Amino acid sequence: MKLIEPRVFLVGETKVLQDEVQVYLNEIGAPDWESDAPTDIEMLVELMGRLCYRSFKPGLNPNVTKVREHNDEYLGNILETGHGSVLEHSSLSFIFMNVSRVLTHELVRHRIGVAISQESLRYVRLDKLNFWFPAVFRGHPKHGELLDLCTKKIEQDEQFQLQLAEILEIEQEKKFTIKKKITSAMRRFAPIGLATTIGWSVNMRALRHVIEMRTDPSAEEEIRFVFGKVAEIVKKRYPNIFGDYEIEIVDGFPWYKTLNRKV
């Protein structure tokens, strides 16, 4: 058993196929259009937005005599007006490591615009139980006593899993199908605060929603911590989509909030 802290890894992002984009631009009569977007994520959102009105340049659509030329102002207008559907074209993939099943049970409530893959305790046998000591306990006047009590509880749970494995003789079992059944049964006695890993992919529209929901002071503290880390990454990496967020520290955690709640 050891104390851990949740970690956030951005492991994937949407990429634009520039050659095919150029073929499309040639077809519609805008071969010289270029985006000054800092990333492919932001360029794709702009591309999908502009095709709706054919607003790559004035005159391409007879109704359009003036266009926003820069990616930051174009996406800023999308956020302000609430045309959030074009944000759904770009997506990111994260790995959340050392998060509890308290967090994952809440995270899976966000189903629209996401994909989820979680470490399976039906296959991954428990031997070491790691956990995150809650901030509300760390800030308590009796935090030392609480830490000792919680540590003893997790150590007992860890020892229980090892004893189960010994009694069930899983180490001697040769058939993986039998090991899987035993491992599946053993996980029923694991605490919900057990550290695990989950893969989470999400489009930009859904991500803005989750950041605003899960960094709010009313959210559970571990998920506030994790999505504070997520928001920190995306605000820096994709400024034209997330740069409008303001940060306020509440109870030691960042709250990412914006007036643009339409998307």
Side-chain angles (χ1 to χ4, degrees):
M1 189 281 299
K2 68 177 181 179
L3 298 176
I4 48 84
E5 183 176 280
R7 299 187 63 187
V8 175
F9 303 91
L10 175 60
V11 297
E13 61 183 0
T14 298
K15 292 295 182 184
V16 173
L17 300 179
Q18 297 287 354
D19 290 346
E20 286 299 304
V21 171
Q22 191 60 54
V23 172
Y24 164 72
L25 293 172
N26 294 341
E27 287 290 328
I28 65 170
D32 298 327
W33 180 80
E34 293 181 352
S35 173
D36 60 358
T39 66
D40 281 10
I41 290 282
E42 289 146 313
M43 178 188 172
L44 186 60
V45 173
E46 180 184 3
L47 178 68
M48 294 303 186
R50 289 190 186 278
L51 73 81
C52 293
Y53 301 99
R54 206 179 295 174
S55 58
F56 294 94
K57 65 179 182 179
L60 200 60
N61 172 358
N63 289 335
V64 176
T65 58
K66 184 178 180 180
V67 299
R68 293 176 176 83
E69 295 183 359
H70 300 291
N71 182 266
D72 58 349
E73 61 179 339
Y74 188 87
L75 297 191
N77 182 64
I78 285 175
L79 297 177
E80 183 178 352
T81 57
H83 290 184
S85 62
V86 293
L87 295 173
E88 297 174 9
H89 290 285
S90 291
S91 63
L92 302 175
S93 293
F94 295 91
I95 291 176
F96 301 147
M97 179 182 174
N98 290 338
V99 295
S100 74
R101 291 185 173 250
V102 173
L103 182 145
T104 61
H105 288 359
E106 293 205 1
L107 182 61
V108 296
R109 294 173 61 190
H110 298 285
R111 298 181 295 276
I112 298 175
V114 307
I116 297 169
S117 297
Q118 185 166 355
E119 181 180 77
S120 173
L121 295 187
R122 191 181 182 198
Y123 294 89
V124 180
R125 178 156 41 105
L126 297 172
D127 52 1
K128 291 182 174 61
L129 307 186
N130 301 323
F131 77 104
W132 185 53
F133 192 55
V136 69
F137 285 6
R138 293 197 300 270
H140 194 277
K142 297 184 178 180
H143 65 274
E145 185 177 342
L146 287 168
L147 178 59
D148 288 342
L149 183 63
C150 293
T151 299
K152 289 178 182 178
K153 172 63 169 63
I154 300 300
E155 287 176 342
Q156 289 173 354
D157 289 336
E158 185 176 274
Q159 188 60 35
F160 178 77
Q161 289 291 327
L162 295 175
Q163 289 176 339
L164 276 180
E166 183 178 353
I167 292 171
L168 293 165
E169 299 181 339
I170 192 171
E171 292 289 355
Q172 287 73 48
E173 179 58 53
K174 301 299 183 182
K175 294 183 179 179
F176 186 78
T177 54
I178 303 300
K179 285 186 175 182
K180 182 176 67 175
K181 290 180 180 180
I182 296 174
T183 301
S184 179
M186 290 170 62
R187 65 178 168 166
R188 295 179 178 273
F189 301 94
I192 193 173
L194 172 71
T196 188
T197 298
I198 190 168
W200 193 67
S201 297
V202 59
N203 70 53
M204 299 301 98
R205 188 182 198 178
L207 181 55
R208 284 182 62 92
H209 170 72
V210 178
I211 286 173
E212 291 166 24
M213 291 286 291
R214 296 305 185 175
T215 65
D216 187 281
S218 63
E220 196 275 333
E221 66 173 52
E222 185 187 8
I223 206 166
R224 288 180 64 196
F225 176 86
V226 167
F227 276 92
K229 295 293 186 183
V230 170
E232 180 183 4
I233 292 170
V234 298
K235 182 177 172 67
K236 181 178 180 180
R237 190 175 180 91
Y238 315 106
N240 295 344
I241 296 179
F242 299 98
D244 60 322
Y245 282 126
E246 297 179 355
I247 306 170
E248 180 180 345
I249 303 300
V250 180
D251 299 327
F253 298 101
W255 176 17
Y256 285 76
K257 54 184 180 177
T258 176
L259 297 178
N260 296 317
R261 293 184 176 271
K262 298 178 182 178
V263 295

